[in-house]
């Protein structure tokens, strides 16, 4: 029998401003042994519903950094699990230092009581550390520091599972850490906010083109694009992501 493919669906490919009507950052990995989200921006539950992904079946959410368009959908995921699907299995949240405190604060502000000891499902928090890869629900999760504003805890993510490697830059300027992050990846998802005008904290297309040969991955796709990038999609030589796109890996 042919082994089922590992698939990645882009739930949201947009920036913090929803440029082009795109949803916030969120990528769903459907694996042989587990289901995972890479980032979970504010609009993620809408995207999951739109593309027919059952939120209650997600085992793990891995967060690249603690900006709302990358982790702000977690309270809605918890709300859905508590009231709509009446989730019973554990949900593991993996992310930078401060993840638990930030999730609990935002969840309590949005929907008081959605995280409590009386929930039908446990919420487990684990922290990313560039020096210590994690193994969570059969997936090996490694992180690399990237350059995104003043944050010391913005990470690129590398997921190894079912014999496949999926890497994701998170939000970042060019950094040499993208090179080992990409190495040997079957799919590398890279943010590219601007076209040819570098802006702080983010990558632009011309800079990425300049360094593309250093990124040793089987396939590279661009995401998190701002208005200028979206207006020039027909001019690009590199592949781009759209909300709803699916890749077999």
């Amino acid at each position: 029998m042919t082994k089922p493919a590992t698939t990645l669906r882009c739930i949201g490919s947009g920036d913090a401003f929803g440029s082009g009507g795109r949803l916030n950052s969120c990528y769903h990995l459907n694996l042989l042994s587990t289901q995972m989200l890479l980032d979970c921006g504010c609009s993620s539950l809408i995207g999951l519903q739109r593309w027919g992904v059952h939120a209650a079946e997600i085992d793990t959410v891995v967060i690249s950094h603690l900006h709302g368009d990358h982790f702000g959908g977690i309270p809605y995921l918890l709300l859905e699990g508590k009231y709509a699907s009446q989730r019973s299995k554990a949900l593991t949240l993996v992310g930078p230092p401060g993840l638990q405190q930030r999730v609990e604060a935002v969840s309590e502000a949005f929907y008081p009581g959605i995280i409590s000891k009386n929930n039908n499902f446990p919420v487990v928090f684990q922290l990313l550390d560039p020096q210590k890869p994690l193994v969570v629900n059969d997936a090996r999760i490694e992180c690399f520091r990237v350059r995104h504003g003043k944050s010391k805890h913005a990470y690129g993510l590398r997921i190894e599972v079912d014999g496949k490697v999926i890497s994701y830059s998170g939000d970042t300027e060019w950094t040499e850490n993208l090179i080992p992050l990409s190495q040997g990846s079957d799919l590398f998802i890279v943010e590219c906010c601007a076209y040819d005008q570098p802006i702080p904290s983010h990558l632009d297309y011309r800079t990425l083109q300049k360094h593309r040969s250093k990124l040793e991955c089987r396939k590279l796709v661009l995401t998190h694009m701002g208005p200028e990038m979206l207006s020039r999609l027909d001019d690009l030589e590199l592949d781009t992501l759209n909300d709803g796109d699916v890749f077999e890996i």
Side-chain angles (χ1 to χ4, degrees):
M1 295 180 63
T2 303
K3 186 173 76 171
T6 295
T7 61
L8 180 139
R9 181 183 288 275
C10 176
I11 302 299
S13 61
D15 58 12
F17 308 102
S19 295
R22 294 173 178 233
L23 301 181
N24 291 154
S25 298
C26 185
Y27 310 92
H28 174 248
L29 278 169
N30 191 8
L31 308 163
L32 290 175
S33 54
T34 189
Q35 292 195 43
M36 175 184 295
L37 295 182
L38 304 182
D39 277 348
C40 186
C42 292
S43 55
S44 295
L45 185 59
I46 297 168
L48 294 173
Q49 298 275 17
R50 180 174 296 169
W51 307 117
V53 178
H54 299 292
E57 296 178 3
I58 294 165
D59 302 294
T60 311
V61 180
V62 189
I63 301 298
S64 63
H65 65 289
L66 296 177
H67 284 167
D69 58 319
H70 293 263
F71 93 101
I74 291 176
Y76 299 98
L77 204 62
L78 299 174
L79 186 75
E80 194 281 339
K82 185 169 185 175
Y83 294 112
S85 62
Q86 298 185 337
R87 179 188 184 109
S88 59
K89 68 176 179 177
L91 177 64
T92 301
L93 303 179
V94 181
L99 174 69
Q100 181 169 354
Q101 294 87 338
R102 194 76 66 89
V103 166
E104 290 178 349
V106 173
S107 298
E108 189 64 20
F110 285 1
Y111 299 103
I114 59 170
I115 297 182
S116 73
K117 294 180 181 178
N118 298 323
N119 281 6
N120 291 329
F121 64 97
V123 179
V124 179
F125 291 89
Q126 295 202 43
L127 295 183
L128 294 168
D129 182 339
Q131 305 302 319
K132 298 178 182 178
L134 295 171
V135 176
V136 180
N137 293 323
D138 297 326
R140 185 179 188 271
I141 303 169
E142 192 173 2
C143 69
F144 294 75
R145 281 196 175 91
V146 294
R147 297 175 59 185
H148 187 52
K150 297 180 179 180
S151 176
K152 296 180 181 178
H153 301 296
Y155 297 127
L157 305 173
R158 181 181 173 92
I159 312 299
E160 298 184 36
V161 64
D162 297 339
K164 305 293 184 180
V165 179
I166 301 94
S167 295
Y168 168 48
S169 70
D171 285 1
T172 183
E173 302 174 22
W174 173 259
T175 166
E176 295 295 304
N177 275 353
L178 294 175
I179 298 171
L181 175 62
S182 72
Q183 193 167 22
S185 297
D186 294 285
L187 179 66
F188 188 22
I189 303 167
V190 183
E191 81 111 301
C192 190
C193 189
Y195 182 73
D196 59 1
Q197 297 295 321
I199 58 176
S201 304
H202 292 282
L203 273 165
D204 65 276
Y205 183 73
R206 290 303 186 198
T207 297
L208 192 54
Q209 271 193 318
K210 176 182 174 182
H211 295 288
R212 174 63 183 92
S213 63
K214 302 176 185 177
L215 302 175
E216 299 180 8
C217 52
R218 185 166 64 85
K219 185 173 183 61
L220 182 147
V221 292
L222 306 181
T223 191
H224 206 276
M225 293 172 286
E228 186 184 13
M229 276 291 290
L230 294 174
S231 72
R232 306 188 69 156
L233 291 178
D234 292 339
D235 302 328
L236 305 180
E237 296 177 359
L238 300 177
D239 292 335
T240 60
L241 269 178
N242 299 299
D243 294 3
D245 282 353
V246 179
F247 292 91
E248 289 192 358
I249 303 171

